[in-house]
Amino acid sequence: MARLGAIHRPLLALGEQVMKLEGAATHSMRKTVILHIGASKAGSSSIQSFVRRNRFVFARLGYVVPDVSLSTGERVTGDHVFALEALAKERDARGLRERVDAIFEASRRNARAALLSAENLSNLGNSAVIEGLAAEYDLRIVMYLRRQDELLTSAWQQWASKLESDFNAWLILALKQFGHWDKVLAEWEEQAGTDAMVVRVFDRESFIDGDLLRDFVDAVGLGEHTQDFDYQQSDSNPSVTDAVTMMVAGNRAIFENVHDNRFYNALNDLTGSALVEKTKVSLLTRAQRDKIIEFYRPTNEAVCRRYFRGRPRLFPHVDHDKYRYLSSDQLIEEKFRAIMTIVAGLVRDRSE
């Protein structure tokens, strides 16, 4: 009996090794769901435009990009904001799993990954939409973090100013709601797992080769194919001077909702790049900007310790020379300059 046991033990050990190898093989065959969750105002429009134009390159490499409804139709824009917003609002994790299942079934096993992008997923609470997804698929959660003073001023211009008229009043509430990256990342890590998290800093000096799009290719796991992609594209989301934003903030006769960009698109069509500044008029005073950075310092230090070990700080020191801090008189002059630029555009348009 002792001899028989001695024979069985190696056989059992061999069987366990085979089972482990089979389990590993099964795991390696699992499909991957890649979710680019923003954050908002961190290059998402550029990334989505890039994905749309390179969707066939992604497909050749085994990455399927669904259409806007998270299906396999022809309307592929590179973003899935509204489809995922609807699912997240209802906390419909089952609905997302069903759509992902359908995407892979339609790919006839040619796709090894599905690439989804929706910057609104980085809003607190939206991670619930992937509840249980890690049990069926490998996950990769890609998120770019932007320094909060720039996040807030950009969010004001693109969204909040279309409904609100008082920037400083809005800012008080926004400081509590946005930019707490430690909470956002902890929420997603709980749903997806630590190994699924790919966290990057939205800063040119931090990008691979100083380029957001090349950095994104690496972040989604295709760094060895970086030369396969087309990186030539125009500015996806140019913004006009905030001197204009100040004059139209909260005007419901101009904006129907936060997503209504018709007014700004018309201004860009009318004036070209004349209202787009290299050095932006600052909605914040220098002191306000420094205070905001200090307010978020504990949050940023926590994120840096967890996701960027060895990095001295999460974001580079603020370069105040990047911003135009104007006095009241200078701001009035800037507003008149913007008005006359628009008038000149109308005159040219009428004469043509």
Side-chain angles (χ1 to χ4, degrees), residues 31 62-64 72 100-113:
K31 306 288 189 180
Y63 282 42
V64 61
T72 54
V100 170
D101 291 344
I103 290 166
F104 282 119
E105 287 173 8
S107 71
R108 299 180 181 178
R109 300 184 180 180
N110 293 327
R112 58 191 174 99

Side-chain angles (χ1 to χ4, degrees), residues 28-158:
S28 66
M29 293 172 60
R30 295 205 329 165
K31 306 288 189 180
T32 300
V33 177
I34 301 169
L35 274 167
H36 166 237
I37 63 170
S40 296
K41 307 311 301 177
S44 296
S45 295
S46 294
I47 287 172
Q48 290 157 359
S49 177
F50 168 78
V51 170
R52 175 187 58 78
R53 292 188 309 104
N54 285 275
R55 61 193 182 278
F56 298 117
V57 179
F58 280 109
R60 189 170 69 247
L61 296 172
Y63 282 42
V64 61
V65 180
D67 68 10
V68 291
S69 64
L70 292 177
S71 185
T72 54
E74 295 298 319
R75 194 183 170 204
V76 176
T77 63
D79 86 82
H80 311 95
V81 169
F82 294 109
L84 283 167
E85 181 177 297
L87 292 169
K89 184 177 180 180
E90 299 298 325
R91 301 176 70 90
D92 189 3
R94 180 178 178 180
L96 177 59
R97 289 197 301 274
E98 289 175 350
R99 295 199 194 189
V100 170
D101 291 344
I103 290 166
F104 282 119
E105 287 173 8
S107 71
R108 299 180 181 178
R109 300 184 180 180
N110 293 327
R112 58 191 174 99
L115 176 56
L116 282 58
S117 177
E119 62 270 25
N120 52 335
L121 287 181
S122 60
N123 295 336
L124 283 170
N126 283 345
S127 66
V129 76
I130 67 162
E131 183 178 357
L133 196 63
E136 299 180 31
Y137 297 99
D138 291 336
L139 299 180
R140 193 179 189 96
I141 309 299
V142 177
M143 184 174 180
Y144 283 86
L145 309 180
R146 189 170 186 180
R147 204 178 67 215
Q148 290 89 345
D149 58 309
E150 293 188 334
L151 164 74
L152 292 169
T153 53
S154 293
W156 165 260
Q157 184 189 61
Q158 184 165 348

Side-chain angles (χ1 to χ4, degrees), residues 280-299:
K280 293 281 289 179
V281 169
S282 180
L283 292 166
L284 303 166
T285 66
R286 182 175 180 136
Q288 282 179 315
R289 192 177 298 277
D290 287 337
K291 287 290 186 181
I292 288 172
I293 290 171
E294 178 60 23
F295 174 77
Y296 285 105
R297 182 177 56 79
T299 289

